[in-house]
Amino acid sequence: MLKTSRTRVRPLAVAALATATIALSACAPTDEADSGTDSGASESAGTSETPAADECTPDTMETVADGTLTIATDDPAYSPWFVDNDPTNGEGYESAVAYAVAEQLGYTADQVAWVTVPFNKVVQPGPKEFDFDVNQVSITEARRKAVDFSSGYYDVVQTVITNKGSSIDGITSLAELADAKLGAQVGTTSYNAIVDQIQPSQDPAVFDTNDQAVQALKNGQIDGIVVDLPTAYYMTAVQLDDGLIVGQLPLAGDEPEQFGAVLAKDSPLTGCISSAVDALRTDGILDQIGQEWLEQQGAPELS
């Protein structure tokens, strides 16, 4: 449910929809074969036109279920993106963003339904049982061949974590990670960052979930994990007894990696979801949600 303490968003009919789609690039979990992120606003959304306000209402949108906005995420749904593995409570960054998008489009919390869809299935081509998915999915060129993306709703920083006293504790450069055994969740841009940016001499360890990666780090099977920065803070503060952040990776290109909502390829809803995200960014709502649910301190950048 929408938290009463949060600033209410303006419906699209009243919001500044005249603002063109903000130029956002996005990138998050991606297939191992996909090594690039892409910038470009309207293209990343899968549409080049901003829909009219009256096209983006519960009565006019072609949703999976009439009058209901069906949103997907994975199980488990991790903090700080979700809280208590319950996307329906409106708590956590992505849950709050999802409900804010719904409200922007004129849906009440009661008109939102959640379904569970594994990450790898979300980014595969084919029909979808949801209207959009939020699950830390980075917008990439390869993925856009199979699915649509909304405008980016979060700028991603890839980060290396470890345990105190490990072989990579205290390193300050990517070169010092050359001999490290690093791990990441399968199909993610974190995995791509290991392969493409760090380029260690050992093949990365690949895990089905971040929980498995944490357990491997605890067991000494790997030296470190690469994840996005908010997840890095959660892992080191909650999941690891002696966890620490080694540092964040430099920006891989000219544009930041971004998370975007995933929709079926050529979905009639892509423009509406992107317009809602753009309005939330313009109105400062995304910043407010980030301040409430995500760690704001930075991490040292590895040279």
Side-chain angles (χ1 to χ4, degrees):
M1 316 300 162
L2 287 174
K3 294 176 67 66
T4 56
S5 61
R6 202 182 68 218
T7 303
R8 288 185 58 81
V9 299
R10 293 179 292 158
L12 281 178
V14 187
L17 276 182
T19 20
T21 311
I22 294 176
L24 298 170
S25 70
C27 226
T30 140
D31 303 320
E32 291 134 317
D34 171 20
S35 60
T37 67
D38 185 76
S39 62
S42 56
E43 283 188 303
S44 71
T47 179
S48 59
E49 297 181 0
T50 300
D54 60 4
E55 297 177 28
C56 299
T57 71
D59 292 332
T60 57
M61 291 175 61
E62 298 178 35
T63 51
V64 171
D66 289 343
T68 298
L69 193 62
T70 303
I71 307 174
T73 195
D74 206 345
D75 182 13
Y78 294 103
S79 293
W81 310 104
F82 300 91
V83 173
D84 296 331
N85 193 27
D86 180 10
T88 70
N89 61 20
E91 299 181 357
Y93 183 82
E94 287 189 317
S95 179
V97 167
Y99 278 109
V101 167
E103 186 175 348
Q104 190 79 30
L105 296 169
Y107 290 88
T108 66
D110 291 340
Q111 292 175 297
V112 173
W114 288 87
V115 294
T116 299
V117 182
F119 169 78
N120 283 336
K121 185 177 179 181
V122 166
V123 294
Q124 296 302 312
K128 306 299 181 189
E129 59 190 72
F130 54 81
D131 296 313
F132 71 87
D133 173 276
V134 287
N135 187 25
Q136 305 108 70
V137 184
S138 295
I139 305 168
T140 68
E141 191 63 33
R143 284 181 180 160
R144 285 200 283 191
K145 296 175 182 178
V147 296
D148 278 3
F149 284 97
S150 72
S151 300
Y153 59 77
Y154 178 74
D155 295 348
V156 182
V157 175
Q158 297 293 344
T159 309
V160 182
I161 69 167
T162 190
N163 282 320
K164 292 178 182 177
S166 78
S167 61
I168 61 173
D169 180 1
I171 67 102
T172 59
S173 68
L174 295 181
E176 293 174 274
L177 292 170
D179 296 325
K181 182 68 174 179
L182 300 173
Q185 185 176 351
V186 64
T188 63
T189 47
S190 298
Y191 174 92
N192 289 343
I194 298 175
V195 174
D196 298 333
Q197 282 188 268
I198 301 174
Q199 301 181 347
S201 58
Q202 303 185 63
D203 289 337
V206 183
F207 303 96
D208 288 334
T209 68
N210 280 332
D211 284 347
Q212 292 176 359
V214 168
Q215 191 59 51
L217 182 58
K218 289 180 178 179
N219 294 342
Q221 297 169 281
I222 56 176
D223 299 313
I225 304 171
V226 177
V227 289
D228 59 80
L229 184 58
T231 301
Y233 277 115
Y234 175 76
M235 286 180 170
T236 55
V238 178
Q239 295 183 291
L240 295 166
D241 293 333
D242 296 308
L244 60 84
I245 292 176
V246 176
Q248 65 186 40
L249 303 187
L251 186 65
D254 295 333
E255 299 290 340
E257 177 180 344
Q258 290 184 320
F259 293 156
V262 181
L263 302 92
K265 186 66 177 174
D266 298 324
S267 169
L269 305 181
T270 302
C272 291
I273 304 303
S274 287
S275 291
V277 172
D278 292 343
L280 294 175
R281 186 179 290 272
T282 299
D283 290 349
I285 303 299
L286 291 183
D287 286 340
Q288 292 178 30
I289 295 173
Q291 289 167 10
E292 181 171 4
W293 294 111
L294 301 179
E295 294 279 358
Q296 296 303 303
Q297 61 260 52
E301 183 172 302
L302 300 174
S303 61

